[in-house]
Amino acid sequence: MNVAYFPGCSLHGLSRAYNSSTHLVCDKLNINLQEIEDWNCCGATAAHSLNHKLSVSLGARNLNIAKNMNLDMITVPCAGCFGRLKTASYELRNNPELAKEVAEIINAPAPVEPEVTNLVQFFTEQVGLEKIASKVVKPLTGLKVAAYYGCLLTRPSKVVAFDSPEQPTSMDDILQVIGIETVNWSHKAECCGGGYAASETDIVVDLSGQVVESAKNAGADAIVVACPMCHTNLDTRLGAIEKSRGVKYDMPIIFFTQLMGLAYGYSYRQLGFRQLLNSASPLLKKQGII
Amino acid sequence: MPSSTTPMTADFFKAIKLDEIDNSFQQELLDNCGIDLNTCLECGKCSGGCSNTHIFDITARQVVKLIKMGEVDSLLKMDSLWTCVSCQLCVDRCPASIDIPRIMDYLREVAYKNQIPATREQVLVFHELMLGHIEKGGRVEEGFLAMEFNLKTGDYFKDVFDPGMKMFFKGKVNPFTPKMKKRDETRRIFKMTSLRKG
């Protein structure tokens, strides 16, 4: 199966573990990820916060390249990039006036194709749980985790049109078919603080703190994410969260593709587990997984 | 009978005179963003769902109301513009699907264009540095961006030891991210969408 792949800046930077584990898992599933040639940054919070046209145009350029690669679907592992590309695609489809302007800005026809999906969506809708389960060589039984979706995998639902906006289940389904138990919890799709990691760190410590607290109260031993921003905020600010709340959470933050990779027989090292600030090794050893 | 010195209700609550309300901004939102605030049910679910309503100086519901009342100046100066996390909970919970995150973006864009100072200067600094990266190189290099941010804000050691050094030693920081090639294409996009001319 061929699909266009938009890694985004974080997957080449702080979240390389998400990139490498995604590639390994896709190899096993016979998915050929074709990176969008010479892609540009989606513009993230900075662009849409200050300049709508810029934000849509940055997305349009990427969509146009993917279209010229003759691929009808893009998959995006980063929820932030996914949100921007999906919104750009939605705007171009529904706002012909803007689409005309954007075409001039990017010096190419405004692309209404291809279809933009996030990685969790691509796995559940295009690959299917049965196939995902069929590649498991080592079920990860004994692990009890909270699947954390954050804001942008499922919202705004009018644009994204995937899963339930506030109580999604698709990542839980993937984790369950590889042997993991997932908890029911309240903060599945609450915000981690997003792009305020550096500029308003207090907001991140507050919001991410609520997420970690809620996962712990639901009995989770780890939080599993599908977004590099959620990962960076939770993983790098856990120390500050523990300090501000006076609680030791002992909560590794793991990419869902890293766990799929373990179930598919890849090693701890190959999957980039060593890059996690809060090591998952004690938990995985306790359950006899590594 | 109230004595002549008793303040009248009218002194506390200024009567809203419908024919004196300036609703040009409401119309502007409809024209430019396709958002119709007349569909607002005033139920307050937007503020109820909001991630950061506990620190907002003006809440989502108040934003909608104030636009309808023509009080746009206070909205362009509000702190909420710079603490909204764009989590999309308000629009998703709104029974009338009023796109409040888009309204916030629009207000911020107008404020930025007119150089109205941001209450959280560092948020704007971060956005501008990030856009600078994209304009120059097409992509963002997170490590360099963090360093530039510290230099620009004068908070030189922010996050350097914790979590910065930890991230470095864990091999999380990548100083050699692959660069984009056709940078003239992103520069063109920036040039053609520039808000502050010159």
Side-chain angles (χ1 to χ4, degrees):
Chain A
M1 193 189 300
N2 289 321
V3 66
Y5 180 65
F6 183 86
C9 306
S10 282
L11 271 80
H12 280 183
L14 295 182
S15 297
R16 293 198 305 295
Y18 192 16
N19 196 29
S20 52
S21 56
T22 298
H23 277 281
L24 291 174
V25 166
C26 286
D27 277 352
K28 217 41 127 190
L29 292 165
N30 302 320
I31 297 162
N32 181 18
L33 297 173
Q34 299 191 19
E35 190 161 321
I36 295 178
E37 290 156 12
D38 208 33
W39 53 269
N40 58 269
C41 171
C42 70
T45 311
H48 81 75
S49 286
L50 298 178
N51 190 335
H52 183 65
K53 215 176 280 174
L54 171 67
S55 177
V56 175
S57 304
L58 287 171
R61 181 182 175 271
N62 291 319
L63 292 172
N64 189 56
I65 300 170
K67 189 182 146 195
N68 290 338
M69 289 164 75
N70 290 322
L71 293 163
D72 52 13
M73 185 167 278
I74 303 178
T75 192
V76 191
C78 170
C81 303
F82 165 69
R84 294 332 304 159
L85 287 184
K86 191 80 186 174
T87 304
S89 159
Y90 182 87
E91 288 277 337
L92 296 173
R93 282 172 201 214
N94 293 291
N95 192 342
E97 247 174 77
L98 180 67
K100 217 170 126 190
E101 270 186 87
V102 168
E104 201 179 317
I105 292 165
I106 64 166
N107 202 17
V112 290
E113 290 165 334
E115 190 65 37
V116 183
T117 61
N118 65 59
L119 195 60
V120 174
Q121 181 180 19
F122 181 73
F123 280 165
T124 46
E125 290 178 354
Q126 303 299 319
V127 180
L129 293 173
E130 219 168 288
K131 188 169 175 193
I132 291 170
S134 73
K135 303 289 178 188
V136 173
V137 294
K138 188 167 69 178
L140 306 186
T141 42
L143 275 187
K144 195 173 170 188
V145 308
Y148 176 51
Y149 300 73
C151 317
L152 300 172
L153 285 185
T154 58
R155 284 196 304 271
S157 56
K158 189 176 74 174
V159 174
V160 174
F162 163 63
D163 211 333
S164 156
E166 291 195 51
Q167 275 294 318
T169 52
S170 46
M171 201 197 324
D172 291 72
D173 293 342
I174 293 176
L175 295 171
Q176 283 164 15
V177 300
I178 62 171
I180 299 170
E181 185 188 344
T182 62
V183 300
N184 279 325
W185 63 308
S186 54
H187 280 55
K188 273 186 163 180
E190 297 288 319
C191 183
C192 68
Y196 289 142
S199 57
E200 276 295 338
T201 309
D202 288 351
I203 290 179
V204 170
V205 171
D206 174 19
L207 296 180
S208 290
Q210 294 175 32
V211 170
V212 177
E213 171 88 26
S214 163
K216 194 75 184 177
N217 285 344
D221 297 323
I223 296 177
V224 180
V225 298
C227 169
M229 279 191 304
C230 298
H231 189 270
T232 302
N233 279 339
L234 293 175
D235 192 36
T236 67
R237 298 300 178 192
L238 193 65
I241 290 166
E242 290 178 333
K243 211 170 153 192
S244 78
R245 296 187 163 240
V247 183
K248 193 99 181 87
Y249 289 106
D250 201 14
M251 183 73 81
I253 318 295
I254 309 171
F255 289 111
F256 82 107
T257 45
Q258 289 182 302
L259 292 177
M260 286 176 80
L262 282 180
Y264 288 179
Y266 292 111
S267 73
Y268 185 84
R269 189 176 191 156
Q270 278 175 303
L271 294 161
F273 272 96
R274 289 184 173 187
Q275 287 176 13
L276 307 185
L277 292 198
N278 300 282
S279 176
S281 150
L283 174 66
L284 297 173
K285 275 186 184 146
K286 196 173 126 198
Q287 300 301 340
I289 291 168
I290 56 165
Chain B
M1 277 287 287
S3 74
S4 58
T5 54
T6 308
M8 303 294 285
T9 320
D11 295 331
F12 295 116
F13 303 104
K14 232 168 58 185
I16 299 169
K17 295 178 182 162
L18 291 174
D19 54 346
E20 285 177 14
I21 286 176
D22 170 20
N23 65 355
S24 55
F25 195 81
Q26 189 181 342
Q27 188 61 42
E28 198 178 317
L29 271 180
L30 184 61
D31 295 343
N32 292 348
C33 311
I35 298 171
D36 184 2
L37 293 190
N38 282 332
T39 59
C40 174
L41 305 172
E42 305 186 342
C43 64
K45 284 180 82 173
C46 46
S47 296
C50 176
S51 293
N52 259 344
T53 213
H54 56 293
I55 61 164
F56 271 17
D57 57 342
I58 298 179
T59 65
R61 185 175 184 274
Q62 289 171 332
V63 167
V64 173
K65 193 71 188 171
L66 287 172
I67 293 172
K68 294 177 89 168
M69 291 175 65
E71 286 284 327
V72 180
D73 283 352
S74 40
L75 296 178
L76 296 177
K77 292 177 196 150
M78 69 180 170
D79 190 43
S80 313
L81 272 190
W82 308 98
T83 55
C84 168
V85 284
S86 309
C87 67
Q88 316 288 330
L89 274 166
C90 49
V91 53
D92 244 43
R93 290 197 181 181
C94 176
S97 297
I98 295 176
D99 195 344
I100 295 168
R102 179 77 186 96
I103 298 176
M104 296 297 260
D105 283 352
Y106 190 79
L107 285 166
R108 211 181 293 104
E109 190 166 327
V110 173
Y112 182 63
K113 205 164 151 183
N114 293 299
Q115 311 205 13
I116 295 169
T119 53
R120 313 248 173 169
E121 205 189 327
Q122 69 281 14
V123 173
L124 183 57
V125 165
F126 190 84
H127 287 341
E128 285 183 322
L129 287 173
M130 187 158 180
L131 291 180
H133 269 236
I134 309 170
E135 184 171 8
K136 271 179 251 145
R139 294 179 190 171
V140 175
E141 291 162 297
E142 295 154 314
F144 291 107
L145 180 61
M147 277 195 272
E148 282 171 36
F149 178 72
N150 285 7
L151 287 175
K152 189 103 182 178
T153 54
D155 194 356
Y156 302 124
F157 297 108
K158 181 178 162 46
D159 297 334
V160 169
F161 301 107
D162 186 14
M165 290 309 265
K166 283 188 198 162
M167 288 158 82
F168 182 77
F169 287 118
K170 287 269 185 178
K172 236 173 127 72
V173 183
N174 180 14
F176 307 109
T177 50
K179 305 271 184 288
M180 193 190 143
K181 293 186 195 84
K182 294 177 189 159
R183 288 174 228 168
D184 53 317
E185 295 190 10
T186 37
R187 279 187 199 140
R188 177 191 161 92
I189 292 175
F190 273 83
K191 203 173 167 196
M192 293 192 67
T193 55
S194 168
L195 291 177
R196 293 179 173 178
K197 303 285 172 204

